[in-house]
Amino acid sequence: MKIKAATGLYGIIGRPVRHSLSPAMHNAAFQAMDMDAVYLAFDVDVAEKAIDAARTLGIKGLSVTVPHKQAVMACLDEIDKTARAIGAVNTVKNLEDGRLSGINTDWKGAMKALKAVTDIAGRKAVVLGAGGSARAVIFGLKQGGAIVHVANRTIEKAERLAAEFKCTFSNLKDIPEAGADILINTTSVGMGKMAGLSPVEPHVTGWFKVVMDIVYGRTPTRLLQDAQKQGCTIIEGYNMLLYQAVAQFEYWTGMNAPTKIMKQALFQEIRG
Ligand code: ATR
């Protein structure tokens, strides 16, 4: 593409961010839609300074990732209701009047991935983990009418989330067996140094019809491999990543995102 004086700038702020797959997806989308825009990754220490820079430079939109999803909230002019309820913003848009608006597309991404294979309303779902990702997933599940149980290594965190989102809770080792439909891993087990590990014993996956992991890689995680052996329908982590980016593109541009192109770009990065 030809970069010109009028080319719009978008980007992602986070740390670490150099391995982010978002530039591949969003630049592919801009090109496919013939948009005069480019998307870069910014390794940022302090969220507030990046938001100031976005105002000064007229950056049109930002993705926000770890560890800035909470910190950016204090720097924006408006935040939508759902992002407030989740307690995290992963998408910022520079509105035409120069105000910066924040939303959360993580929960939308997770639910779109899930709804591609199962209904949510009235279904029993168990969420593993009680961090920021768990909050987005639990919010989406509750919004869709699911009955949610949260299980976490540190039980106090599960208890706090359960009180806030009105669900049941337990330790990771005491997941209830009875009649559950959906299992979603939001812990970091399976990622980085914990690659090849699963947050639960293999037989636990057999209690569920659908097992989703938000951890992604070249191949399905250990959790998903175990689930496949038990005959479950599995949803790989890249789905949430793709659909949260699709929702970002649509929020920034007001157009339908070229989902297939974004998926191809993502796959090329993940699987080479
Ligand atoms: P994120 O924002 O991606 O959700 P986070 O807020 O750091 O990240 O949360 C990480 C989650 O992974 C937590 O639920 C954490 O459990 P604790 O609350 O007990 O720390 C979970 N986690 C990380 N390492 C784990 C491990 N080895 N075994 C089980 N759970 C683990």
Side-chain angles (χ1 to χ4, degrees):
M1 76 168 286
K2 221 179 188 171
I3 293 178
K4 293 171 277 188
T7 301
L9 178 57
Y10 293 79
I12 180 166
I13 58 169
R15 175 162 287 183
V17 81
R18 290 293 165 223
H19 296 289
S20 170
L21 302 169
S22 294
M25 287 190 282
H26 285 297
N27 284 314
F30 290 151
Q31 271 174 37
M33 302 301 278
D34 214 13
M35 280 180 61
D36 187 12
V38 63
Y39 181 107
L40 300 176
F42 301 106
D43 187 1
V44 164
D45 187 15
V46 182
E48 196 181 348
K49 289 188 189 170
I51 296 299
D52 275 350
R55 286 184 199 280
T56 307
L57 300 175
I59 290 175
K60 291 190 163 185
L62 285 174
S63 306
V64 183
T65 189
V66 177
H68 301 314
K69 289 185 190 188
Q70 285 84 35
V72 290
M73 295 179 78
C75 318
L76 303 175
D77 302 305
E78 56 185 63
I79 293 167
D80 88 331
K81 238 184 21 239
T82 55
R84 238 180 244 293
I86 294 165
V89 160
N90 79 323
T91 312
V92 175
K93 180 176 179 174
N94 202 334
L95 303 175
E96 263 147 40
D97 58 5
R99 282 176 311 124
L100 296 184
S101 167
I103 65 166
N104 187 302
T105 68
D106 285 331
W107 73 276
K108 286 189 189 167
M111 292 309 111
K112 191 154 179 184
L114 204 52
K115 283 179 181 166
V117 304
T118 180
D119 286 335
I120 294 175
R123 300 295 161 94
K124 286 188 181 169
V126 172
V127 176
L128 308 178
S133 309
R135 293 183 67 89
V137 167
I138 294 170
F139 175 85
L141 287 168
K142 292 293 288 187
Q143 171 111 339
I147 301 145
V148 180
H149 178 91
V150 55
N152 195 48
R153 176 180 62 179
T154 310
I155 194 146
E156 292 78 12
K157 283 204 225 163
E159 185 171 12
R160 253 179 275 146
L161 265 195
E164 190 176 340
F165 290 99
K166 306 210 169 12
C167 44
T168 52
F169 69 95
S170 71
N171 192 283
L172 271 183
K173 296 197 164 48
D174 299 314
I175 295 167
E177 185 175 345
D181 303 290
I182 301 163
L183 177 69
I184 304 177
N185 176 45
T186 75
T187 74
S188 38
V189 180
M191 206 189 316
K193 284 186 190 129
M194 290 186 278
L197 301 178
S198 170
V200 293
E201 296 287 324
H203 71 275
V204 171
T205 58
W207 303 343
F208 301 87
K209 294 187 188 76
V210 176
V211 179
M212 170 163 138
D213 205 331
I214 72 164
V215 176
Y216 57 84
R218 290 184 71 83
T219 53
T221 56
R222 166 58 66 87
L223 173 77
L224 294 182
Q225 288 176 28
D226 291 342
Q228 242 168 348
K229 283 183 199 145
Q230 300 279 346
C232 311
T233 300
I234 64 161
I235 308 171
E236 287 191 70
Y238 66 79
N239 287 286
M240 174 172 169
L241 184 68
L242 170 67
Y243 291 122
Q244 65 76 32
V246 162
Q248 292 186 323
F249 182 92
E250 295 184 345
Y251 177 56
W252 289 329
T253 67
M255 298 188 287
N256 285 330
T259 306
K260 268 193 190 153
I261 302 262
M262 293 172 79
K263 187 173 178 178
Q264 275 169 10
L266 178 60
F267 267 42
Q268 211 161 6
E269 291 296 310
I270 296 179
R271 304 203 164 145

